[in-house]
Amino acid sequence: MQASTSAYLEAVKTRRSIYALNKNSPISDERIEQLFHEVILASPSAFNSQTTRAVLLLNEEHEKFWTMVAKIGENSGWPEEMLSRQRGRWEMFRKSKGSILLFESGESIEKNQKNYPATAKLFPEWSQHHHGIHAVTLWTTLEAEGLGANLQHNQMISGVDEETKKIWNLPGDWIQYAQLVFGGLESKELPPAKDKLPLTETTRTFDLAFAFKEASPVLLMRLTDRIQTVFDDDTEQPLGPEDIFDDALGSLFTDGVKDQHGHPSATILYKSAKYGVVKLKVADPDATGDWKLFAHWLWNAGLKMAVMVSQEDGWQTNQDNKGWQWIVSGETVLELGCGAGLPGMISVLAGAQEVKLSDHPSASTAHLEHNLTTNIPPHSRRRISYTAHIWGDFYTSPRSCFPPNQTSTFSINHPHRYTRVLAADTYWRPGQHANLARSMLHFLALEERARVLMTAGFHTGRRVLASWFETAEKEGLEVEEVWEEDGDGRGRQWRAEREEGFEEEKRWMVVAVMKRRQR
């Protein structure tokens, strides 16, 4: 370990909440101010938005602040028992050397929201991240110089924030978050470290280096290397000729591409660099007698959709805000033709506010319930659910071409609800293209930022996908971005026609972002 790294980690590990402080600082006031300024200048913020504001109070100015807090606190109406405890704390803070008041600028947050409308709603949350970064960095820095510190939140007392701005003539949009109290140490003995949860509970490590290969412009993991199929018991399963040939492709032909995965008697292990191993079951078509939907496989397009919405493999948004459409954190998400539900489940793990999985009523659902129970933590389970939906079925008037049925209620109650509509490999039936587009438009939110996210393999033919784009545009969608990508992450321009054989074409898929056409 480098000496500088060792010193930094030691400072992080020995940082404590220290309350027994005095005014005898081991460093000068000038040094304190220098460290204060250096931390503010060096601390990062999302999009370099720089929303954090801070005030350094030393000596008499510091005492003035805590005298003010105590005066307001005495008139807060708190019970005497609570006040008696707080009086001692306020006096203890006042006897320290200084305080750093931490604020976030409301005006700066709003300015960044206007500059980056696609991620506008995330800036208040990011602002809290900025506050945390500044607080812990200032805290650690001061304690590394021999001072002690503790973090307080007395702005919660009504009137403290307003009086602070009045006394020190601070801008009205500054929102006070905390006070970092610091001073000389009354004792050289540090408080004991607090108990921590075991790393086995709080962390995950996945050594994926063996599976990564170079692909321009970033290191990408081969799509099919994310998948492993494991049978549910140790007995050998009877496989048909097609199964045997498919499973042997990777070893018989190194350029061969397996584009579907799974077996009703097996579990699919999907390896996510962010969320660990996701265990999936696929539908058992023998149980329903329905093979027509091909939902008994997990297709490569579904894998790609999961990678995209989890912002893995270099698809994080960059400084130009490229790729923001694939961010699902805080969004309402609908997955059409969900099959095993992988993209929808990854959306929940990635922070989606609400996820609805949907598929044809004839599709079995036992595997979905298993997948949700196995992979979604209990505290997130309420954010994801399943419904049946027939594309194009919106029984909203007697003129509807569909009679009332079990899926009508969902359509009637959820028009324009979802800011992200996901559809992976749902385009192989040209006769359903119009109905699929109509369902997308019916459920897609009217907000300008709402998007349809599309992935589809070429295994059903390039002409079928070209037909989809033509039909979607006729129905009222427009393509915002579209490209082709293979399983190794290599990209190329989308073309409705290419001169290449089936095996080569099968290696590729189309990835697209669509939105409601503005009239």
Side-chain angles (χ1 to χ4, degrees):
M1 183 181 290
Q2 301 259 340
S4 58
T5 305
S6 179
Y8 171 74
L9 289 178
E10 187 62 25
V12 171
K13 288 190 289 185
T14 57
R15 183 206 53 78
R16 298 284 192 277
S17 292
I18 301 175
Y19 297 95
L21 302 173
N22 56 45
K23 298 184 181 298
N24 301 319
S25 173
I27 59 176
S28 67
D29 291 358
E30 291 75 19
R31 176 62 174 163
I32 293 173
E33 185 183 37
Q34 178 191 2
L35 295 171
F36 170 66
H37 287 160
E38 287 186 4
V39 169
I40 297 300
L41 288 173
S43 296
S45 59
F47 288 82
N48 197 32
S49 51
Q50 302 180 63
T51 58
T52 301
R53 305 291 184 264
V55 173
L56 173 63
L57 300 177
L58 293 169
N59 306 316
E60 290 81 5
E61 295 297 308
H62 158 79
E63 291 186 21
K64 184 192 301 184
F65 176 82
W66 288 106
T67 300
M68 175 267 292
V69 170
K71 182 178 179 181
I72 293 176
E74 288 289 349
N75 298 305
S76 64
W78 289 359
E80 178 58 32
E81 182 181 356
M82 184 183 297
L83 272 176
S84 63
R85 290 198 303 269
Q86 286 301 120
R87 288 187 188 106
R89 290 173 63 85
W90 292 328
E91 180 62 17
M92 178 174 60
F93 300 148
R94 191 183 68 82
K95 290 180 178 179
S96 302
K97 173 67 176 179
S99 294
I100 297 174
L101 313 184
L102 292 164
F103 302 79
E104 289 295 311
S105 167
E107 182 178 310
S108 178
I109 294 170
E110 291 178 4
K111 179 182 177 181
N112 281 282
Q113 287 177 311
K114 291 177 182 178
N115 290 340
Y116 303 97
T119 53
K121 70 177 189 176
L122 295 175
F123 275 99
E125 178 182 341
W126 288 340
S127 170
Q128 296 180 41
H129 301 171
H130 308 159
H131 161 68
I133 290 169
H134 284 80
V136 76
T137 307
L138 286 164
W139 192 344
T140 305
T141 300
L142 292 174
E143 292 200 352
E145 292 277 323
L147 292 156
N150 59 82
L151 194 66
Q152 301 302 315
H153 303 88
N154 282 261
Q155 76 283 355
M156 67 180 183
I157 303 173
S158 179
V160 166
D161 195 26
E162 294 79 2
E163 191 66 15
T164 301
K165 294 173 186 175
K166 179 180 176 182
I167 293 174
W168 285 278
N169 193 28
L170 303 178
D173 69 291
W174 287 20
I175 306 163
Q176 192 169 177
Y177 271 50
Q179 306 84 40
L180 183 64
V181 182
F182 61 90
L185 299 172
E186 286 284 292
S187 171
K188 292 185 178 181
E189 185 176 345
L190 288 176
K194 295 181 179 179
D195 293 336
K196 298 292 184 180
L197 293 171
L199 292 175
T200 53
E201 184 174 339
T202 60
T203 68
R204 296 289 187 273
T205 299
F206 300 94
D207 185 2
L208 299 177
F210 71 93
F212 278 78
K213 60 187 298 184
E214 189 167 357
S216 180
V218 292
L219 287 177
L220 301 175
M221 186 177 184
R222 189 176 186 184
L223 205 58
T224 51
D225 286 340
R226 296 178 178 274
I227 287 293
Q228 181 182 359
T229 301
V230 180
F231 284 103
D232 295 339
D233 55 44
D234 295 332
T235 61
E236 187 174 345
Q237 300 295 320
L239 300 178
E242 296 85 356
D243 296 320
I244 295 171
F245 181 73
D246 254 350
D247 285 339
L249 271 178
S251 55
L252 291 176
F253 310 105
T254 55
D255 289 335
V257 175
K258 184 175 181 179
D259 54 5
Q260 79 273 1
H261 313 272
H263 188 281
S265 299
T267 296
I268 299 173
L269 305 181
Y270 169 76
K271 293 168 281 187
S272 166
K274 280 192 173 182
Y275 307 113
V277 176
V278 178
K279 300 177 181 179
L280 300 166
K281 300 288 288 183
V282 293
D284 184 355
D286 286 334
T288 60
D290 188 357
W291 290 79
K292 298 181 298 182
L293 298 177
F294 297 97
H296 52 289
W297 283 313
L298 176 62
W299 297 84
N300 282 354
L303 303 182
K304 182 61 183 175
M305 181 72 77
V307 170
M308 297 292 280
V309 298
S310 63
Q311 297 278 285
E312 294 182 36
D313 280 1
W315 279 108
Q316 294 87 345
T317 56
N318 59 25
Q319 290 182 347
D320 298 324
N321 216 22
K322 182 178 175 60
W324 66 265
Q325 303 96 325
W326 298 91
I327 296 176
V328 295
S329 177
E331 305 290 349
T332 52
V333 177
L334 169 66
E335 184 180 0
L336 295 171
C338 66
L342 176 62
M345 289 192 294
I346 292 294
S347 295
V348 170
L349 298 177
Q353 176 183 330
E354 171 192 343
V355 175
K356 183 70 75 172
L357 305 176
S358 72
D359 216 328
H360 193 275
S362 66
S364 60
T365 60
H367 68 292
L368 274 178
E369 187 59 39
H370 172 274
N371 293 345
L372 295 177
T373 302
T374 302
N375 299 291
I376 305 301
H379 66 272
S380 299
R381 185 64 175 82
R382 60 180 178 80
R383 293 191 282 119
I384 185 169
S385 58
Y386 168 82
T387 188
H389 172 63
I390 300 173
W391 298 341
D393 178 3
F394 326 115
Y395 184 75
T396 55
S397 76
R399 295 190 299 275
S400 172
C401 61
F402 291 93
N405 59 69
Q406 60 177 336
T407 74
S408 300
T409 302
F410 173 66
S411 300
I412 294 170
N413 292 339
H414 296 81
H416 311 312
R417 180 178 181 85
Y418 299 98
T419 55
R420 295 291 183 273
V421 176
L422 316 183
D425 254 340
T426 58
Y427 310 92
W428 49 275
R429 298 175 65 184
Q432 285 297 314
H433 283 174
N435 283 332
L436 176 57
R438 291 166 191 164
S439 281
M440 290 174 172
L441 287 164
H442 177 80
F443 293 112
L444 188 65
L446 297 176
E447 302 169 41
E448 192 281 330
R449 64 187 180 83
R451 293 295 186 272
V452 173
L453 307 179
M454 167 191 171
T455 54
F458 286 121
H459 49 86
T460 53
R462 183 177 294 273
R463 291 183 180 179
V464 172
L465 292 173
S467 172
W468 154 252
F469 284 120
E470 292 174 3
T471 302
E473 292 194 9
K474 289 178 182 177
E475 293 296 330
L477 288 168
E478 66 178 54
V479 176
E480 184 173 47
E481 290 185 75
V482 60
W483 68 93
E484 297 178 20
E485 189 172 314
D486 72 359
D488 293 332
R490 291 186 292 262
R492 66 184 184 185
Q493 184 179 359
W494 152 257
R495 291 182 184 174
E497 295 183 6
R498 283 186 187 273
E499 294 295 328
E500 58 189 13
F502 173 74
E503 280 304 319
E504 175 60 24
E505 188 170 75
K506 184 181 173 184
R507 298 175 59 87
W508 295 83
M509 68 185 73
V510 63
V511 183
V513 177
M514 307 184 78
K515 63 181 180 179
R516 189 184 303 276
R517 185 172 63 239
Q518 299 301 313
R519 302 185 183 279

